[in-house]
Amino acid sequence: MRPILFWAFAGLLLFPLSVQGQEWDAEQMEVWETVTTCWTSTNIETQMACIHDDFKTWGVGNPVPFKKADTRAHLTRFFETQETVWSYFQPLSIDVRGDMAIVLYVMNWAERNRVTGEETAGIINWTEVFKKEGDRWLLLADHGTRVERD
């Protein structure tokens, strides 16, 4: 458990103070609330409702881009075998342009394997593209890169 706590605190120190103290306008906050509401949910239907039908992802470890159906299969497997111990999201940039938004953030997380009890933790840099349809921001594309630790 010590390595997990170490990386959680180390991750917080990776962010420049100017980013930590950044203020967001109402539109940026609306997008950010979508990010945190969708990805902290442990309900697959809540997460899938956040994803645009034309979604594409080059997620962490994906050998090829996934579509929405692939993402459902991946999330189903994740929820069957893993549980999130904790997660922390730090926004770095939220650029809203009309009905599109580009969000850059870092996610610190820890998860536990439901079978073995083994815990793993990590830091992932995410770039996400959202499209607003009606009054909802939907995830159109994303890419995640694991931050390698020495």
Side-chain angles (χ1 to χ4, degrees):
M1 184 68 170
R2 285 182 201 227
I4 291 173
L5 291 176
F6 170 78
W7 286 111
F9 293 118
L12 294 174
L13 297 175
L14 291 174
F15 306 112
L17 292 177
S18 60
V19 170
Q20 290 181 14
Q22 194 163 1
E23 292 186 27
W24 310 103
D25 66 25
E27 201 170 35
Q28 291 168 314
M29 283 304 300
E30 183 181 340
V31 174
W32 185 243
E33 286 173 15
T34 298
V35 172
T36 57
T37 298
C38 291
W39 307 144
T40 58
S41 173
T42 58
N43 181 296
I44 192 168
E45 296 309 324
T46 299
Q47 289 194 1
M48 293 305 297
C50 297
I51 299 174
H52 194 281
D53 287 341
D54 297 328
F55 174 68
K56 301 276 188 311
T57 180
W58 203 302
V60 177
N62 291 9
V64 296
F66 281 8
K67 296 179 180 178
K68 187 172 182 175
D70 302 316
T71 300
R72 175 181 285 281
H74 172 79
L75 288 174
T76 299
R77 180 72 175 145
F78 176 84
F79 286 131
E80 288 172 354
T81 62
Q82 305 292 322
E83 68 179 316
T84 300
V85 176
W86 57 264
S87 60
Y88 174 76
F89 299 78
Q90 176 67 47
L92 302 176
S93 173
I94 305 171
D95 186 10
V96 179
R97 298 182 182 221
D99 67 346
M100 301 295 289
I102 301 168
V103 182
L104 305 177
Y105 66 94
V106 176
M107 179 180 80
N108 288 272
W109 56 269
E111 64 189 34
R112 180 180 301 116
N113 182 297
R114 293 180 188 275
V115 176
T116 66
E118 180 183 356
E119 289 188 11
T120 56
I123 301 169
I124 301 173
N125 293 337
W126 282 103
T127 300
E128 295 187 334
V129 178
F130 287 85
K131 180 169 180 22
K132 191 166 192 176
E133 293 195 349
D135 62 347
R136 299 183 59 225
W137 287 99
L138 298 173
L139 184 62
L140 188 59
D142 71 9
H143 180 261
T145 303
R146 191 176 307 272
V147 175
E148 296 300 324
R149 301 175 278 186
D150 294 335

